[in-house]
Amino acid sequence: MKIKFLGHATFYLEIGDCKVLVDPFIDENPIAEAKAGDFNDIDYIFITHGHGDHIGDTISIARKSKAKVVANPEICSYLRKFDIDIITMQFGSYIKTKFGEVKMVPATHSSSIKVGDDNIYGGLACGYIFKDRESKVYHAGDTGITMEMSLLKDEKIDVALLPVGGHYTMGVQEIDKALELIDPKLFIPMHYNTWDIIKVDIDELKDKYRDKVIVLDIGQEYNT
Ligand code: NI
Ligand code: MN
């Protein structure tokens, strides 16, 4: 599986023949180098929760590329109005897709969708596990540390994409606990340095987790 970091919680994945975006927050993302307009050929977009830094450019990319958008029922019913192909998911088991299988898993976070000056209910925040023939990749979404993570140990995760910026999500101080609970082979930090409030000394983190961490620069990719 190809995992390309676009900044914040935004990842481009190539799984088998499929092109996938997770939480495509691109044009308003201060650290992104790509443009939403670059993504004309996407098969699936996965959304972890309703916040603007996660729904991001979903609508424009989905309309142009005809990607299927996967999210919880509340986010899907919001998106349905925009003439977008949706796949509603819930916490449960793996579902089959063109690229392999995917499972929605809990995250400890809120979820709402900003519409004008109001916030509408965005269902429950989640993460996803993507599985192809060779590997399992877990995108945690926005989450604090939660005992739910201990259920992921049995999944034998190869690569965990973990938020490390703190304030809104788990931070650097919670990484040890997350690794203990999830026990992934490797992790890729995300959701940091987008704004000052989630600033992290990434070199320090790299030194501390030398054998366990893959720090991707914006636009850099890792192949499982
Ligand atoms: Ni959030
Ligand atoms: Mn966020």
Side-chain angles (χ1 to χ4, degrees):
M1 198 182 304
K2 178 188 282 186
I3 304 168
K4 186 173 187 176
F5 183 49
L6 302 177
H8 203 56
T10 307
F11 285 85
Y12 168 79
L13 309 175
E14 275 181 25
I15 320 178
D17 293 334
C18 284
K19 299 179 172 74
V20 173
L21 281 169
V22 186
D23 286 351
F25 171 53
I26 301 169
D27 283 348
E28 301 291 320
N29 179 344
I31 58 170
E33 288 172 2
K35 288 272 157 273
D38 301 341
F39 299 94
N40 298 314
D41 181 22
I42 295 294
D43 298 290
Y44 293 93
I45 298 172
F46 288 83
I47 302 176
T48 61
H49 63 293
H51 294 156
D53 58 321
H54 297 262
I55 285 194
D57 301 289
T58 297
I59 294 168
S60 68
I61 296 172
R63 292 179 92 158
K64 206 168 44 177
S65 67
K66 303 277 172 250
K68 290 182 177 11
V69 180
V70 184
N72 68 26
E74 292 78 11
I75 292 172
C76 284
S77 67
Y78 165 74
L79 292 174
R80 200 174 271 133
K81 300 196 276 286
F82 298 94
D83 193 24
I84 287 170
D85 254 0
I86 49 162
I87 299 176
T88 303
M89 256 193 111
Q90 275 286 14
F91 304 114
S93 193
Y94 282 97
I95 65 161
K96 284 194 177 26
T97 67
K98 278 192 284 173
F99 60 76
E101 291 180 278
V102 62
K103 184 176 181 175
M104 180 182 266
V105 294
T108 342
H109 195 70
S110 66
S111 174
S112 56
I113 307 163
K114 199 153 171 42
V115 181
D117 290 334
D118 295 320
N119 279 299
I120 63 172
Y121 178 58
L124 296 176
C126 73
Y128 292 99
I129 301 172
F130 300 96
K131 180 177 158 189
D132 66 7
R133 253 180 241 128
E134 296 92 41
S135 52
K136 267 187 187 174
V137 173
Y138 163 55
H139 186 297
D142 280 4
T143 189
I145 283 285
T146 161
M147 283 307 286
E148 304 282 355
M149 287 174 170
S150 64
L151 295 174
L152 300 180
K153 203 174 248 184
D154 292 342
E155 295 280 355
K156 303 200 183 332
I157 301 291
D158 294 289
V159 182
L161 315 178
L162 298 177
V164 300
H167 196 91
Y168 306 111
T169 67
M170 57 174 276
V172 174
Q173 290 174 66
E174 285 79 31
I175 294 174
D176 285 337
K177 195 54 167 180
L179 295 178
E180 181 192 323
L181 294 174
I182 304 164
D183 195 25
K185 285 198 192 110
L186 296 165
F187 78 99
I188 295 175
M190 64 170 180
H191 214 275
Y192 68 95
N193 289 1
T194 318
W195 303 283
D196 282 349
I197 199 165
I198 53 172
K199 212 169 186 73
V200 162
D201 185 337
I202 203 69
D203 291 329
E204 197 179 293
L205 187 150
K206 217 176 190 171
D207 279 348
K208 183 167 176 199
Y209 296 99
R210 199 173 294 272
D211 303 327
K212 206 73 190 172
V213 74
I214 301 151
V215 174
L216 295 180
D217 294 331
I218 308 294
Q220 200 182 355
E221 58 191 52
Y222 175 80
N223 290 286
T224 61

